[in-house]
Amino acid sequence: MILVTGGAGFIGSHIVDALLERGVEVRVLDMLLAAAHRERPDYLDPRAEFVEADVRDPETIAGALDGVSAVCHQSAMVGLGLDLGDIADYVSHNDLATAQVIRALARKPVPLVLASSMVVYGEGRYRCAEHGVVRPGPRAPEELDAGNFEPPCPVCGRSLTAEAVPEDAPLDPRSVYAATKLAQEHLANAYMRETGAPVTSLRYHNVYGPRMPRDTPYAGVASIFRSSLAAGKAPRVFEDGGQRRDFVHVRDVARANVLALETGTPGAFNVCSGTPRGVGDMAAALARATDGPDPVVTGEWRGGDVRHVFASAEKARTELGFTAEEDFEAGMREFAEAKLRA
């Protein structure tokens, strides 16, 4: 029996499907948080045992762990977390929840797979022609207002070349959400050190695909663009559209979780396609798939956003055995037609 917390969600439900397809018994624990769900979703496979409850409740999590051989911890409050008025909610849903899971697991340790995120890196990896690999600081508002979106070398101020981020890159969370995801990793690693049970932290990059939430704090940029196109409006692309990310299909993310559960390989791993793309390129691909209007590049920017962060897929390939398989253009076409979750 595998326990999947947040198993009614976008990514969690695909993990549930992938496990059930392999003949694994699955128990789902999900509180159906109002910000993410109106009701129990109809896509949740009835073969999975479903417990509607709060993972932060000690009695609930203790009961949910009965007979479980591994835990796939997907439940979280997501988003940039820019409003400090929400900080306690992020810490509660992400870090307190993880602490409650770990405290219960410590009584009978089993492998733990944790949903982490690329946001723990902050800005991506950059190289200066003169100073080598450098870590630029947060971008200055006055530079962003002037349309200077590329971060300069913090030593000489020259232009930088963005590179794929490996898992051993310095961690530099730059939002409340990012800080809570890194704290989850630290808590999970403490559990591994104390009990010897393997912990696999999967750092998801930009996940897209069917069941993605629409028009909620949980909606990603792909979902926001899709909603605009469905309304006959052009996607609005911030900055100049050249900010690069790694867009990975949710079925690939589910496969990575299954591999982590099957192998028990400890460590942190990027879960990505391995192919960086501009946000503007993604918007254009989605517009093509829907025969919708071309994206509009607005020049707007958001505090807390980073310029480039895309991943090295090498460690996941060699140590976890994971390589993304879903085709991007086909995935965009599927996403253009898929039902989004209200």
Side-chain angles (χ1 to χ4, degrees), residues 52-249:
E52 182 179 349
D54 193 336
V55 71
R56 295 169 296 179
D57 177 64
E59 292 185 7
T60 292
I61 188 62
L65 289 172
D66 185 40
V68 162
S69 60
V71 173
C72 189
H73 185 35
Q74 303 293 312
S75 66
M77 183 175 177
V78 305
L80 279 175
L82 296 178
D83 183 354
L84 291 180
D86 295 332
I87 189 169
D89 291 333
Y90 276 93
V91 171
S92 179
H93 284 287
N94 298 354
D95 300 337
L96 175 59
T98 300
Q100 295 287 24
V101 170
I102 287 171
R103 182 167 70 173
L105 280 175
R107 303 186 186 105
K108 187 179 179 183
V110 299
L112 173 65
V113 176
L114 173 70
S116 186
S117 171
M118 68 175 192
V119 296
V120 300
Y121 296 120
E123 272 286 0
R125 178 183 173 96
Y126 294 86
R127 185 176 297 275
C128 173
E130 181 177 352
H131 297 103
V133 175
V134 294
R135 296 287 295 172
R139 297 178 294 171
E142 57 271 20
E143 292 295 323
L144 294 168
D145 283 338
N148 300 321
F149 301 117
E150 297 290 342
C153 175
V155 181
C156 65
R158 295 177 183 173
S159 298
L160 299 172
T161 300
E163 298 181 345
V165 181
E167 286 84 350
D168 61 358
L171 304 181
D172 184 20
R174 297 189 178 186
S175 69
V176 168
Y177 171 62
T180 63
K181 297 308 288 184
L182 182 54
Q184 283 184 287
E185 286 197 26
H186 288 320
L187 292 169
N189 288 337
Y191 164 70
M192 181 166 59
R193 286 191 297 270
E194 292 295 324
T195 67
V199 169
T200 310
S201 295
L202 300 179
R203 293 172 180 167
Y204 302 156
H205 284 252
N206 291 74
V207 187
Y208 73 96
R211 305 176 193 167
M212 201 169 190
R214 181 190 68 235
D215 303 329
T216 79
Y218 286 64
V221 65
S223 179
I224 293 169
F225 290 163
R226 158 73 194 277
S227 293
S228 294
L229 288 162
K233 300 177 181 178
R236 294 175 58 83
V237 179
F238 283 10
E239 301 187 16
D240 60 359
Q243 56 273 44
R244 280 182 284 171
R245 301 289 187 268
D246 188 304
F247 298 97
V248 58
H249 197 284

Side-chain angles (χ1 to χ4, degrees), residues 21-43:
E21 287 173 7
R22 286 161 175 77
V24 179
E25 290 185 276
V26 179
R27 178 178 295 141
V28 171
L29 175 59
D30 200 304
M31 70 180 295
L32 300 182
L33 188 67
H37 298 277
R38 289 179 179 171
E39 57 191 11
R40 174 176 170 167
D42 57 8
Y43 55 69

Side-chain angles (χ1 to χ4, degrees), residues 261-287:
L261 289 164
E262 289 177 344
T263 64
T265 305
F269 297 92
N270 289 324
V271 177
C272 60
S273 72
T275 303
R277 291 180 170 86
V279 171
D281 295 333
M282 187 274 286
L286 195 53

Side-chain angles (χ1 to χ4, degrees), residues 282-294:
M282 187 274 286
L286 195 53
R288 288 194 300 272
T290 59
D291 292 323
D294 292 336

Side-chain angles (χ1 to χ4, degrees), residues 273-329:
S273 72
T275 303
R277 291 180 170 86
V279 171
D281 295 333
M282 187 274 286
L286 195 53
R288 288 194 300 272
T290 59
D291 292 323
D294 292 336
V296 174
V297 177
T298 69
E300 297 171 87
W301 56 271
R302 297 188 304 178
D305 275 357
V306 297
R307 179 59 177 174
H308 304 297
V309 55
F310 52 91
S312 168
E314 182 63 18
K315 183 182 178 186
R317 183 184 66 81
T318 58
E319 296 186 22
L320 193 60
F322 169 74
T323 301
E325 296 178 352
E326 300 287 338
D327 177 76
F328 178 74
E329 291 289 341

